[in-house]
Amino acid sequence: MPVATSIKESLRSSSLIRKMFEEGNRLKKLYGAENVFDFSLGNPDVEPPPAFHAVFLKCAQEDPKGSHSYMQNAGYPAVREALACKAGREHNVTLDADHIIMSVGAAGGLNVVFKSILNPGDEIIVSRPYFVEYRSYVENHGGTLVPVDTLPDFNLDVQAIQSRLSPKTAGVLINSPHNPTGRVYPAATLAALADCLCNHGKQCGRYPYLIADEPYREIVYNGVVPPVLAVYDESIVINSYSKNLSLPGERIGYIAVSPTIADKETVVNALIHSTRVLGFTNAPALMQRIVAELTEARVDTSVYARRLAAFKKVLDAAGIEYAQPDGAFYLFCKAPDADDKAFVERLKQNLILGVPGTGFGSPGWVRFAYCVDETIIEHSKNAFLKTMGK
Ligand SMILES: Cc1ncc(COP(=O)(O)O)c(C=O)c1O
């Protein structure tokens, strides 16, 4: 079949996460689902909050005339106004509907942003480890992903970022709470990064965008995620309801731009235009109406907190080291002998599935997603002990 060479190449190196997911399905068929400890996929199994179902039924029943028509590519103005208030509160700025563009999840939002800002050869700096799809999203639009290391505790290494800034830098992409480490970047780190980007902009005449991917903003275990839009003028936030409200199949999210971004009208028009020409046209209509009424709703993060505690107990007993997560639902663990692929194979022999850190640009580590029932975590203990020779 005549598919593009670049796609053939991507298919060959296709996501390790998906591969593990398929492997999980194979093993479940062979050994029974209850005997496989599948921690491979970040697919939230915690149900959306009860308010979602009530609002969903109400919106479906109301079904006002025209509610299935095309709309402004940015989304319904009233929905954007509601989300502007929410995002403004979270980011300590005053936003209105004109700062919000509804998106098809965070993935759609990120593609819209990169389509809008990248010229051929432009670079996006990201800290390693990083969400595996970022490279494709950047390369989709002619950009180059430039990974830099983090500090040993997985906080951003602002100096490392600074050392890779150049006139080609279109943006610095951050993700907090972070997939796969669960790290939340402290306010002081964000302030230092903002300073660094400001200084670079002053010197070279091009201020990189600070692009914050926040699909886990509401899944935190202590406190809140510090604001981004308030700390740097040229910032753009991407949020989504895939994890925050457990609605990944509904493909709904939004982009929020800083009220002080330079040439705001052009940037916003570019984002709206990209939404259209990428073929999204607009974010799903019914879901827009629903999330506008759920600005106060949250998934029950106490479920994730309990699973985290249970998982830590299992890892501690097995002697596996991990990064302490502040949020999201992943544990990033050190592979014995720093060989993540060998460790994943050994785990698989005991029917445990995790994703090698190599898939996130960080060999030597393995990610476990705890989007599974607590009992599965508890029952995995013997398999972990066996893997570790205990
Ligand atoms: C860090 C990160 N960004 C973006 C996405 C894509 O999210 P969405 O389902 O909202 O497109 C994910 C999904 O797992 C993610 O982990």
Side-chain angles (χ1 to χ4, degrees):
M1 198 173 56
V3 300
T5 317
S6 60
I7 293 296
K8 266 193 210 148
E9 191 43 51
S10 317
L11 285 173
R12 244 197 311 278
S13 58
S14 129
S15 160
L16 282 168
I17 301 179
R18 281 277 151 193
K19 273 189 193 146
M20 290 311 293
F21 178 63
E22 281 153 24
E23 184 62 3
N25 287 340
R26 191 184 71 81
L27 292 174
K28 282 172 198 165
K29 262 193 208 137
L30 274 177
Y31 298 101
E34 68 287 1
N35 298 316
V36 179
F37 309 110
D38 187 353
F39 305 119
S40 61
L41 205 64
N43 190 7
D45 67 321
V46 174
E47 280 300 298
F52 167 76
H53 298 282
V55 173
F56 177 57
L57 290 175
K58 179 175 95 64
C59 288
Q61 266 163 2
E62 284 170 358
D63 204 32
K65 196 165 181 301
S67 56
H68 307 289
S69 306
Y70 286 124
M71 67 182 80
Q72 293 178 11
N73 300 117
Y76 291 121
V79 172
R80 287 156 47 218
E81 192 63 52
L83 298 187
C85 288
K86 171 182 179 283
R89 272 198 308 276
E90 288 168 353
H91 286 276
N92 222 0
V93 287
T94 305
L95 299 177
D96 59 40
D98 289 342
H99 301 110
I100 303 286
I101 297 97
M102 300 305 294
S103 71
V104 178
L110 286 160
N111 272 280
V112 163
V113 169
F114 294 138
K115 169 94 181 155
S116 304
I117 65 168
L118 289 172
N119 284 309
D122 272 354
E123 295 179 349
I124 297 290
I125 298 176
V126 72
S127 293
R128 195 167 27 214
Y130 54 86
F131 174 53
V132 66
E133 308 287 16
Y134 284 161
R135 182 176 295 281
S136 302
Y137 298 166
V138 168
E139 291 178 356
N140 281 346
H141 308 290
T144 304
L145 193 74
V146 177
V148 300
D149 286 325
T150 55
L151 296 170
D153 66 356
F154 293 119
N155 195 3
L156 296 174
D157 184 341
V158 176
Q159 275 181 356
I161 293 173
Q162 187 175 13
S163 72
R164 297 308 301 271
L165 289 170
S166 82
K168 287 199 269 181
T169 310
V172 173
L173 172 59
I174 60 170
N175 164 224
S176 171
H178 185 259
N179 175 9
T181 64
R183 194 78 168 84
V184 169
Y185 302 133
T189 303
L190 297 177
L193 178 60
D195 271 356
C196 156
L197 298 182
C198 262
N199 290 336
H200 172 76
K202 266 184 217 140
Q203 277 162 23
C204 103
R206 183 180 193 184
Y207 286 82
Y209 290 108
L210 176 55
I211 303 155
D213 178 27
E214 300 191 335
Y216 303 90
R217 171 169 268 277
E218 277 150 36
I219 305 177
V220 274
Y221 304 117
N222 289 307
V224 292
V225 179
V228 171
L229 295 179
V231 299
Y232 182 59
D233 288 343
E234 305 305 314
S235 52
I236 302 175
V237 166
I238 294 103
N239 200 319
S240 133
Y241 291 93
S242 293
K243 323 285 167 153
N244 286 331
L245 283 186
S246 279
L247 298 173
E250 302 299 350
R251 312 309 303 135
I252 184 77
Y254 61 89
I255 303 167
V257 299
S258 154
T260 48
I261 204 163
D263 211 352
K264 188 176 78 190
E265 214 180 303
T266 312
V267 173
V268 168
N269 284 338
L271 295 168
I272 296 171
H273 175 81
S274 297
T275 299
R276 180 162 64 81
V277 299
L278 282 174
F280 297 124
T281 308
N282 54 253
L286 177 60
M287 283 302 138
Q288 288 194 40
R289 290 168 49 215
I290 293 173
V291 296
E293 296 199 28
L294 291 175
T295 52
E296 303 307 316
R298 303 276 176 277
V299 281
D300 184 357
T301 51
S302 70
V303 179
Y304 291 125
R306 278 200 303 277
R307 290 170 178 182
L308 172 60
F311 216 139
K312 283 202 227 174
K313 267 193 200 157
V314 169
L315 295 173
D316 289 342
I320 297 171
E321 282 179 57
Y322 47 85
Q324 289 290 347
D326 309 307
F329 38 59
Y330 305 106
L331 273 157
F332 206 46
C333 300
K334 251 188 196 162
D337 307 321
D339 188 343
D340 52 331
K341 288 189 176 160
F343 188 42
V344 163
E345 279 309 309
R346 265 167 56 205
L347 288 161
K348 214 161 67 182
Q349 315 220 310
N350 293 305
L351 302 184
I352 300 172
L353 299 177
V355 182
T358 302
F360 303 93
S362 288
W365 293 78
V366 172
R367 187 196 78 174
F368 299 115
Y370 44 95
C371 307
V372 295
D373 203 87
E374 220 172 304
T375 53
I376 297 181
I377 297 170
E378 281 155 4
H379 292 165
S380 70
K381 184 173 169 185
N382 284 342
F384 271 107
L385 291 176
K386 202 164 154 211
T387 309
M388 297 300 285
K390 296 200 171 183

